[in-house]
Structure formats: structure tokens, C-alpha cells
Amino acid sequence: MLLLAVDTATPAVTVALHDGTSVVAESGQVDARRHGELLLPAVDRVLAEAGVKLDAVTDVVVGVGPGPYTGLRVGLVTAATFGSALSVPVHGLCTLDGLAYAAGQDGLEGPFAVATDARRKEVYWARYEDFRTRATEPAVDRPADLAEQLAGLPVVGAGAVLYPEAFPDARGPEHVCAGALAALAAERLAAGAELLPPQPLYLRRPDAQVPKNYKVVTPK
Amino acid sequence: MADEPLVLGIETSCDETGVGIVRGTTLLADAVASSVDTHARYGGVVPEIASRAHLEAMVPTIERALKEAGISARDLDGISVTAGPGLAGALLVGVSAAKAYAYALNKPLYGVNHLASHICVDQLEHGPLPEPTMALLVSGGHSSLLLAPDITNDVRPLGATIDDAAGEAFDKIARVLNLGFPGGPVIDRLAKEGDPKAIAFPRGLSGSRDPAYDFSFSGLKTSVARWIEAKRAAGEEVPVRDVAASFQEAVVDVLTRKAVRACKDEGVDHLMVGGGVAANSRLRALAEERCERAGIRLRVPRPGLCTDNGAMVAALGAEMVARGRPASDLELSADSSLPVTDTHVPGAHAHDHDHVHEISKDNLYS
Ligand SMILES: [Zn+2]
């Protein structure tokens, strides 16, 4: 088994290769505006570091978000295209689950919550019983509206760090790393669990307004 | 192989997810998934809706094109993709897919210009482009007159719209007339039953002191809207067919007149008309008539190749391969305002041996 994992749902562009037992190579860069430019060179670097070619990959794993739209799609379309070109399965994982798993690897015990930056003064978040077990569906909300229900819980991720008044016990890691995502996927696949389809979790409707009647141009 | 490269092209600059496959100047497949119906209720293309639709349609459309062409992806000589201009988020989906595909198959990647692709697509219909080619590109996003001595690395803007694109004017007038979105096809249809001389709408930038090759459709649009409003205010019925025909005539009159003039001024004996508005039947007819009178050969691809599609991107990609143009690198980014003079986006370390051409590229505005 050789998993290639990518995630572009947060400001991080992260890629990892995992052989079913451990992470073989990994790359993480934080640049919210350059997902499109950074992802493929990162994949190339990670494969080169591991000394393998892309066609050795048996499974592609991708973070499906939730995440701000434009960057999120870079990872998803890249994973889907690899899957099609290589005829290998593409598995989706919730990006928040990857962050929770990374926090667990760093020693955080449950319960806790994960929050990433959703922009527009909101966070994407979910609550976890422990680092492998999500207790709520991912959602998008204003930090102030969550402060009460998450009171007393450590909150992991950049979404927590950004809003210290709402999340006084904010923790790292701030961004997801593909190594954690790959490790979680390897664990779930080995246990015969179903992963998600590689489809985006936007959690918001597209901004689209039906134009009002056309503007009258005759001067009144 | 170099003469007739097998290339897959991806186009996602607006609301069509297009994947085309060509062998040299032969079209093998043209798969398109459109989100236009989803945008109709908004009266225009909504960028986020377009981007979401591209992500969903991308891989299925690639697979459909390969099946249609009956080729194996392993046999491709290159992958080309629209790098710009277009909607940033929409372009990014296509560019990301093209990079992943090129990388997975170990094929060269060519990020190419959307406007140059609109011109190059005619090679699939009428064979190799004459050099130079004069091109009139008209769509919802662009209205330009371009002189193309070499479609792979020398495209010169002679003129463009200074306000609305021609297709935008069709959409806006359709909205004033409550005809829905997009406006082009419905106005074309109604105009056939109307009198193009019924109402004398203004011809923008057609005075002797106006720029010879630039266009303006904003004044026309206002004038048509005002005429309709006056009828409505007087409680009279709006003669929709005559308005459509007279408006359409004003647009295509200016477009074809200026295009033919540019051909004469530059001594070019071929005119290529492309872009979504080139599907308009009156534009095609009037261009035909005026070109014939001026001794110019008109080249207009069939309507399906005028609107945005992947075949046009593949056609330009194949020409890039055939002429040995440098490939793009994996850092290729989508550029929503890629200038028309950038026919393609070579990688940072690429060289083009054709330096003479680069240097002789004079700026026609200076
Ligand atoms: Zn176009």
C-alpha cells in the first residue's frame, strides 16, 4: 500500500506519502493564495524524496474540507485527476478529522473541538470525543455563537487561535498536515471502514444574487 | 508525430467545462458540460456556481472525451489548458486538473491563451490558418480585432471594446425585453422575423475621428433601452421582433465594417470570426456578404466550435507542440487577466529559439 495524501482546504498546501505503516515523506507550506501553484511541485518533491514515481501510488487520499472554496477545489480536482489517470481509488476525509488526528498524535486527549478559519468572521468546526472520533457534523458558525457550547474544551486549529475571546484554550497544530490525514486514512482502510467520497464540503451556498429588474436608463 | 501531435485540451474559463482531443488539425473529440442553465435564473454567469460545476464535471468530461476519441491517454503528445483570461476560480479548476493529468501521464503541459484558442480552433474546420490571419473575436466576455502573424507566439491587438462586450449587449437587451439569459440565441431567432431597418439605432465609434478598430456597445444598449421604455411609457406595444432585428443589425454592422476595414488596411486577405457571438446567423451572413465584396476569404467555424470548448484549446496546444514551443512548468498559474499577446505561458526556464520573432513584435498602440 502506498497512499498519496493531499489537503488544500486550509491555508496550508500539504502533501504526504504513507506506506500503510508510516509517513515516508511529507511537505507542508502555508500560503492561502497560492494553492494552485504550490501543490504539484510539492507532490513532485515528496515523490522524489521517497524515490518513487507517481504510478507506484495505490490510493489517493484528499481532504474534502470544509474549506474556503477556491483553494479547496485545487486538492480535490488534483486528487480526482490522479485517480482517473492512474486508475486508483480516491478517498475523501474530513479535513477537521485530519487536524484532530494530528492533535492526538501530539498527545491531546479528548474531548476537544477543532476549528479552522472559514473567513467572513466565521469558523468551520466540529466536536471530538477523542482524536479518532468526531461527535458532531462539521458546521460553520460565528465564534461568539460557539463560545458557550465549547466552553472548557481545548479547541485545535487556526480558527481557534484567531478568536481567543471565544476560544480561550486554543491549541496547535494550526493547520492540517497530510501526514496525519494519510495515517488516519491508512488506519481506517486497514479496518475496512468506508471513507468519504472525494466531494467538497462547502457548508455554504454560493454567493449568487438574482439581479433585480434591469436598471431603467431613461432620466426621470 | 511532430506534424500531427495528439493533444488533449481543457477549457474552464467561464461556464463550460470543455475537453477536446485533436490530432494536428483533425478534431477527434469535443466533450462539453455546461452550467449555463444554472446561471439562467441569475441573468448572468455566477463565478462560484461555475467553479463548483467545473469541479464536478472535470474528470467525467476528460473520460468522455477520451472515449469519444477512441484513444489511450498514454498516446497523447501533450496536454493543453486555458491559463487565462477568464474567471479566476473557474480557470484554477482546469489548470489544476491539467497539471495533475500531465504529471500523472508524464506529458508536456501547455498553458495557453483563451483568445488565441478561439482563433486557432478554425484549423479544425478549415485547415491551417493563413499567416497572418485577421480575427474578429466576439463573445460575452470579449470583442476584439486581432492580427495574428503566428498564432503560437505573435498575436497583436488592433482594437477592442472600450465598454461592453458584444455578447453582453445581447444579454442586456434580452433582459430589457424579458427574454431571459443568455440573450444571443433568442435575439437571433426573433430578429429573423423583424425588420432590421425599422429603427435606426446608433453605430458606436463609427465617426471619422473615432478609433478605427475599437468598439463601443454601451451607447447602443442605452439607446435601445430608452426606446423601449418610451414605447412602454406611452402605453404602446413594443415591437419585439423589430427591436431585436434593428439592435442586432447595429451590432453586426459595426463589427463587420471594422473587421473588413482592418483587413484592407493591413493587406490581409483572410478574416476569421470566432467567439460565442460568431454563432449569430446575421453576423455570419453580413460578414460573408462584405468579405465577398472586398475580396476577402471568410473563415467562421461551425457554431459549436465558436462557443467555449476544449477542442479550441487542444488545437492551439497541438500547434505549440508542432512548432516546438516551450512547455509550461508545474508552477503554472491561472491568470484571469492574461494579455492576448501572451499566447502561451512558457515555464520560467524555457527558451524559445525564435528570438527574432519576439523582438519584432511591435506594439501597435505605440
Ligand atoms: Zn471565449
Side-chain angles (χ1 to χ4, degrees):
Chain A
M1 175 185 263
L2 191 61
L3 303 178
L4 174 71
V6 301
D7 192 300
T8 59
T10 72
V13 176
T14 172
V15 178
L17 208 56
H18 192 288
D19 64 6
T21 313
S22 61
V23 173
V24 183
E26 187 170 13
S27 159
Q29 290 156 286
V30 177
D31 186 342
R33 306 170 65 96
R34 298 183 62 228
H35 288 103
E37 287 91 324
L38 297 176
L39 182 58
L40 248 291
V43 169
D44 188 48
R45 254 192 339 268
V46 164
L47 290 168
E49 198 184 313
V52 296
K53 295 264 182 236
L54 184 66
D55 56 13
V57 166
T58 61
D59 296 80
V60 179
V61 176
V62 59
V64 299
Y69 323 135
T70 302
L72 172 62
R73 282 187 284 264
V74 171
L76 282 162
V77 78
T78 300
T81 308
F82 281 162
S84 168
L86 305 170
S87 301
V88 299
V90 183
H91 313 284
L93 268 183
C94 174
T95 296
L96 302 176
D97 291 2
L99 252 170
Y101 193 86
Q105 287 177 318
D106 287 354
L108 183 64
E109 312 236 328
F112 60 89
V114 171
T116 59
D117 182 11
R119 304 200 191 139
R120 300 182 203 171
K121 299 183 175 145
E122 293 185 317
V123 293
Y124 296 117
W125 70 282
R127 199 191 332 222
Y128 288 80
E129 276 160 33
D130 59 62
F131 73 96
R132 290 189 176 92
T133 320
R134 179 154 42 79
T136 62
E137 284 300 307
V140 59
D141 284 292
R142 287 166 175 274
D145 298 342
L146 298 173
E148 200 175 320
Q149 48 172 314
L150 299 183
L153 286 184
V155 186
V156 174
V161 176
L162 262 174
Y163 300 101
E165 301 96 80
F167 310 116
D169 190 1
R171 307 281 183 98
E174 284 193 40
H175 301 296
V176 68
C177 61
L181 206 68
L184 177 59
E187 225 179 84
R188 289 200 180 155
L189 288 172
E194 281 273 311
L195 301 189
L196 298 173
Q199 279 152 21
L201 291 178
Y202 292 119
L203 304 191
R204 282 184 185 133
R205 303 175 67 83
D207 296 320
Q209 277 173 1
V210 183
K212 308 209 173 55
N213 283 335
Y214 78 93
K215 268 218 310 279
V216 172
V217 295
T218 309
K220 288 273 152 66
Chain B
M1 173 283 264
D3 295 346
E4 298 242 288
L6 184 62
V7 172
L8 178 143
I10 296 177
E11 151 66 30
T12 62
S13 69
C14 192
D15 60 343
E16 323 273 0
T17 312
V19 180
I21 298 173
V22 305
R23 192 186 299 280
T25 59
T26 307
L27 177 64
L28 301 184
D30 182 22
V32 179
S34 176
S35 61
V36 67
D37 294 343
T38 329
H39 302 285
R41 57 183 288 248
Y42 302 102
V45 173
V46 179
E48 176 60 22
I49 290 179
S51 300
R52 290 185 182 194
H54 286 311
L55 173 59
E56 264 174 55
M58 193 70 258
V59 168
T61 310
I62 293 175
E63 290 176 349
R64 193 149 55 86
L66 285 168
K67 206 168 153 201
E68 203 179 307
I71 59 138
S72 158
R74 304 271 149 207
D75 297 333
L76 290 167
D77 296 310
I79 311 289
S80 60
V81 62
T82 303
L87 301 169
L91 288 168
L92 185 59
V93 175
V95 168
S96 300
K99 287 203 271 192
Y101 212 55
Y103 185 77
L105 298 168
N106 198 21
K107 307 290 182 187
L109 169 74
Y110 297 86
V112 301
N113 190 294
H114 179 79
L115 301 181
S117 301
H118 265 307
I119 301 174
C120 199
V121 73
D122 196 51
Q123 299 207 133
L124 306 178
E125 194 91 313
H126 300 113
L129 286 169
E131 296 187 327
T133 284
M134 184 67 70
L136 170 67
L137 287 192
V138 271
S139 76
H142 23 263
S143 306
S144 339
L145 261 174
L146 303 166
L147 181 62
D150 177 343
I151 196 62
T152 62
N153 78 349
D154 188 5
V155 173
R156 309 171 188 188
L158 298 185
T161 180
I162 60 166
D163 39 56
D164 297 343
E168 254 181 294
F170 276 88
D171 289 340
K172 284 175 183 171
I173 296 307
R175 198 185 303 162
V176 179
L177 291 168
N178 300 313
L179 300 174
F181 172 87
V186 61
I187 287 185
D188 191 0
R189 201 172 60 240
L190 291 169
K192 285 189 180 132
E193 297 159 18
D195 176 5
K197 295 201 177 84
I199 312 150
F201 288 129
R203 269 59 172 165
L205 294 186
S206 289
S208 55
R209 315 180 77 163
D210 287 327
Y213 308 133
D214 283 339
F215 305 105
S216 165
F217 298 108
S218 165
L220 168 65
K221 184 191 72 192
T222 309
S223 159
V224 176
R226 210 171 263 178
W227 194 92
I228 296 166
E229 285 163 17
K231 280 277 164 197
R232 284 178 183 153
E236 292 173 41
E237 200 183 319
V238 177
V240 176
R241 289 170 173 76
D242 287 347
V243 172
S246 301
F247 156 74
Q248 176 176 277
E249 196 67 12
V251 175
V252 305
D253 178 24
V254 179
L255 290 172
T256 53
R257 192 181 298 277
K258 293 200 175 206
V260 168
R261 169 154 181 203
C263 288
K264 285 185 183 162
D265 291 354
E266 296 285 335
V268 176
D269 60 0
H270 277 78
L271 174 66
M272 186 274 161
V273 183
V277 178
N280 181 280
S281 65
R282 181 58 187 151
L283 175 61
R284 297 169 86 96
L286 192 57
E288 186 64 59
E289 196 184 307
R290 288 185 169 165
C291 281
E292 206 183 308
R293 214 180 305 145
I296 295 164
R297 270 197 55 197
L298 179 68
R299 294 170 59 122
V300 195
R302 78 187 91 125
L305 293 179
C306 287
T307 46
D308 292 347
N309 61 76
M312 67 191 219
V313 181
L316 184 52
E319 204 56 49
M320 294 291 172
V321 176
R323 299 200 182 199
R325 298 295 173 217
S328 304
D329 56 30
L330 292 179
E331 280 95 32
L332 175 69
S333 51
D335 181 351
S336 59
S337 52
L338 187 70
V340 67
T341 46
D342 291 2
T343 50
H344 64 130
V345 186
H349 306 294
H351 315 234
D352 195 337
H353 8 260
D354 213 348
H355 284 299
V356 188
H357 234 124
E358 292 285 321
I359 295 158
S360 69
K361 198 190 296 183
D362 49 349
N363 181 339
L364 290 139
Y365 282 119
S366 60

